Amino acid sequence: MVKSPHSTRQAPWTSAPAPPPLPGTAARRGVTGSDEVPGVLVALDTLELGFAFFGRGWRLQHASPVFLRAVEDPTFAALDEEVRRFVAAVWGLANVRSLGAVVERLDSRAVRLAGGECRLDGTYVGVDLFGEGASVLVGVRVPPEDPFSTERLRARFGLTCRQSRVASLLVEGLRNDEIARRLFISPHTARHHVEQIRLKVGGHTRAAVASRLLQAER
């Protein structure tokens, strides 16, 4: 798993061999560093953006809280490995193109994981932001959370897998017979599941149960 630069555990790519030095210093859009970089990073972190900076050797230099949550989320297992490969690819492109003191977007790709499709964007930053030379900035966009995923409903209300599915249909406004047809179960079984959901979630009516489910996910 990816960890912050201050973590006691290393990110998996910190021990990887460092890519060769950039072969050139040609610049197209010249930029310079700033003493305000730490403050800018803190400000960016508050925007709830998933991003991280990596130096040569794929060493993690800075990661936003959103980025760390994404790569540590079991829903997106293997995302950290995909990020590692992506960082290596972006560094490879930077080497081939002999980029110097420029900021340039180099690559973008979609990766399909168990939790859905994630998108990675890679930008070469030819500015010495961290006292280690150039960096690669990786942006991570993950699909929005499913408020009625089995994992979330089990954690919040103790619903079983089948009850979680029934709960999502109940919120859609389906009647017991409609739920039964959708899930290929009997109306009696559907009614039993709805009653168990009501007992776990709370609420005397179907509308009240649906309201509690929706409010709990806000």
Side-chain angles (χ1 to χ4, degrees):
M1 291 293 188
V2 180
K3 295 296 180 181
S4 73
H6 305 295
S7 172
T8 56
R9 293 182 58 189
Q10 285 188 318
W13 43 75
T14 54
S15 58
L22 297 178
T25 56
R28 277 175 282 172
R29 292 194 299 276
V31 290
T32 58
S34 169
D35 293 336
E36 302 302 320
V37 167
V40 171
L41 293 175
V42 171
L44 288 173
D45 286 347
T46 66
L47 296 178
E48 288 294 300
L49 303 174
F51 70 92
F53 287 89
F54 297 87
R56 293 171 183 166
W58 310 297
R59 198 182 79 78
L60 181 63
Q61 297 169 319
H62 177 85
S64 71
V66 175
F67 177 92
L68 293 174
R69 287 200 298 270
V71 296
E72 293 172 354
D73 188 339
T75 306
F76 303 109
L79 177 58
D80 54 352
E81 178 65 19
E82 292 292 343
V83 170
R84 188 194 67 78
R85 294 175 181 172
F86 185 66
V87 171
V90 176
W91 268 115
L93 289 172
N95 289 341
V96 169
R97 298 179 60 173
S98 301
L99 297 179
V102 300
V103 174
E104 184 167 338
R105 184 178 178 182
L106 294 181
D107 198 3
S108 179
R109 70 178 60 170
V111 294
R112 295 187 178 278
L113 303 172
E117 183 176 280
C118 301
R119 178 158 293 277
L120 306 178
D121 295 294
T123 299
Y124 171 82
V125 181
V127 183
D128 191 353
L129 298 175
F130 304 95
E132 301 175 355
S135 302
V136 162
L137 170 63
V138 174
V140 174
R141 285 177 285 171
V142 299
E145 290 183 318
D146 177 5
F148 296 104
S149 69
T150 299
E151 293 77 11
R152 296 191 71 187
L153 291 178
R154 179 186 294 119
R156 189 173 293 271
F157 298 111
L159 301 186
T160 65
C161 293
R162 179 50 63 93
Q163 289 169 358
S164 297
R165 181 59 179 146
V166 171
S168 67
L169 297 177
L170 189 154
V171 169
E172 290 181 20
L174 273 63
R175 302 187 305 271
N176 288 347
D177 59 333
E178 294 173 321
I179 292 174
R181 286 196 298 271
R182 184 76 66 88
L183 299 181
F184 301 101
I185 58 179
S186 70
H188 173 77
T189 300
R191 184 168 59 253
H192 174 73
H193 284 315
V194 170
E195 178 62 19
Q196 292 300 308
I197 292 169
R198 186 188 68 78
L199 292 174
K200 292 180 179 181
V201 175
H204 296 293
T205 66
R206 298 171 70 89
V209 172
S211 178
R212 285 177 179 269
L213 287 167
L214 290 171
Q215 290 176 1
E217 301 305 331
R218 292 178 182 174

